Amino acid sequence: LIGIGSLVSNIPASLITQHRGERWTIVAGALWCAVAMALCGWSGHLAWFAIGCFMVGMSQAVFSLARQSYLTEVVPVAYRARAMSTLGGTMRIGMFIGPFAAAAAIHRFDLVGAYAVVAARMPDLRAGSVATDAAGAARAAPTILSTLRDHRHVFATLGLGIVLVSAVRTTRQTIIPLWADHLALDPAVTSLIYGLAGGIDMLLFYPAGKVMDQMGRRWVVVPSLVIMGAGLLAVPWTWNATSLLMAAMAIGFGNGIGSGMMMTLGADHAPRHGRAHFLGAWRLMSDIGGSCGPGLLSLLAATTTLAIGIAVTGLLAFVAAGQLAYW
């Protein structure tokens, strides 16, 4: 439900950001998430808990799109990839320390509320100049449909690659625990493997951004997907905790060096006018891949074997690498 909430909220999030600005959109998203988390925590019924989870997904879409749009505007192009990879890195750090922080803070207050205070102190973006045509006449404000029409080639080429990348990235999070269960590993060992892979993933975000800025996006995007694909293809051949750890760390390394790559590519192609609309559609394609990837793994695991499902996910990574390398 969190994924569905994000999926259906990307376009509305772009409309809110376009008309209300990034600053207060981020504040509103954080406050909405705080309400959602409170509903989840205090509800005594599954239906209310489900609604809260859906609201978390909504806030995730609004919050993430506004942050990406804000960074796209305020960071110089020469530092864009480093900014986006650092944003991706802070998200990874948050996912790593979040459970530990929650254990200490859950009895006091919801940490999400702090983000609203930070965001409220952000400087507003300056209003951009009015878009004009070749004759100098003012142009109509872009809409969702006009943005999709004007950039349909980007969405049909790079966008397809983003769908595949998101499918692989989302599915990889379920593959390690599933295969560990297949190997009958102790849950504590599985958790340790997952944590070590996450640690490698978390530490590589800044070097990835620096390489993208100085050498070009392809030098990170393609190796990231090739390494992830190789790691995923190696998983069905693992037979114990040590071999699975090696494959998991390869996957974590590949994902880590690709930190921020999807946000960077989106920022590179987003127009100055209608940026929020473009990024909303970009995130929608990412969420479609993120929703379909685990579903495909489940289907293949149910109809064939888990090993085949994992292998197909690895092959998707290579297809995504080829797609993005070409376009």
Side-chain angles (χ1 to χ4, degrees):
L1 281 170
I2 292 176
I4 295 172
S6 176
L7 180 70
V8 302
S9 300
N10 282 303
I11 299 303
S14 74
L15 295 173
I16 296 170
T17 304
Q18 187 77 17
H19 291 95
R20 297 298 179 185
E22 287 83 355
R23 178 191 183 193
W24 292 111
T25 300
I26 291 174
V27 172
L31 292 175
W32 185 256
C33 190
V35 172
M37 297 295 280
L39 182 61
C40 288
W42 294 333
S43 63
H45 194 277
L46 180 61
W48 287 111
F49 182 75
I51 293 172
C53 290
F54 184 81
M55 290 170 61
V56 169
M58 294 173 66
S59 68
Q60 178 176 294
V62 173
F63 200 77
S64 298
L65 186 140
R67 283 185 308 177
Q68 184 182 3
S69 180
Y70 190 90
L71 279 182
T72 302
E73 177 68 18
V74 301
V75 176
V77 174
Y79 296 94
R80 174 177 288 165
R82 272 169 279 189
M84 294 300 176
S85 65
T86 301
L87 175 58
T90 60
M91 293 160 63
R92 286 165 166 80
I93 293 170
M95 292 176 67
F96 182 77
I97 68 172
F100 302 103
I106 198 167
H107 296 295
R108 293 191 176 185
F109 54 86
D110 187 357
L111 288 176
V112 179
Y115 288 102
V117 178
V118 174
R121 297 180 61 84
M122 289 167 47
D124 279 314
L125 296 178
R126 295 179 183 178
S129 57
V130 177
T132 58
D133 58 23
R139 221 167 43 198
T143 64
I144 290 285
L145 292 178
S146 68
T147 301
L148 291 173
R149 182 184 65 249
D150 294 342
H151 301 276
R152 59 187 179 275
H153 182 262
V154 175
F155 289 122
T157 54
L158 281 176
L160 178 58
I162 293 303
V163 171
L164 296 173
V165 172
S166 185
V168 171
R169 282 182 152 185
T170 306
T171 308
R172 72 174 174 82
Q173 299 181 35
T174 64
I175 283 173
I176 302 304
L178 281 174
W179 193 253
D181 181 69
H182 172 76
L183 296 177
L185 298 181
D186 185 89
V189 174
T190 301
S191 182
L192 180 62
I193 292 172
Y194 198 89
L196 289 172
I200 293 236
D201 189 335
M202 180 180 66
L203 294 174
L204 295 169
F205 62 87
Y206 189 79
K210 191 167 184 177
V211 171
M212 277 194 283
D213 277 331
Q214 295 184 349
M215 299 182 65
R217 315 313 193 207
R218 188 183 285 110
W219 285 92
V220 163
V221 171
V222 175
S224 168
L225 291 166
V226 169
I227 294 171
M228 266 201 296
L232 289 165
L233 289 176
V235 169
W237 297 95
T238 60
W239 65 94
N240 58 17
T242 302
S243 56
L244 179 58
L245 174 62
M246 295 299 102
M249 292 180 76
I251 296 170
F253 180 85
N255 192 61
I257 65 172
S259 175
M261 65 182 184
M262 292 197 292
M263 291 187 292
T264 301
L265 290 174
D268 286 343
H269 291 85
R272 176 65 182 84
H273 298 279
R275 181 180 61 246
H277 293 327
F278 181 94
L279 293 178
W282 192 262
R283 284 188 53 82
L284 176 63
M285 299 189 77
S286 174
D287 280 353
I288 289 172
S291 300
C292 294
L296 176 62
L297 176 66
S298 299
L299 176 64
L300 291 172
T303 56
T304 57
T305 66
L306 177 60
I308 291 177
I310 295 173
V312 169
T313 304
L315 292 175
L316 282 180
F318 285 101
V319 173
Q323 175 81 2
L324 293 178
Y326 182 81
W327 292 107

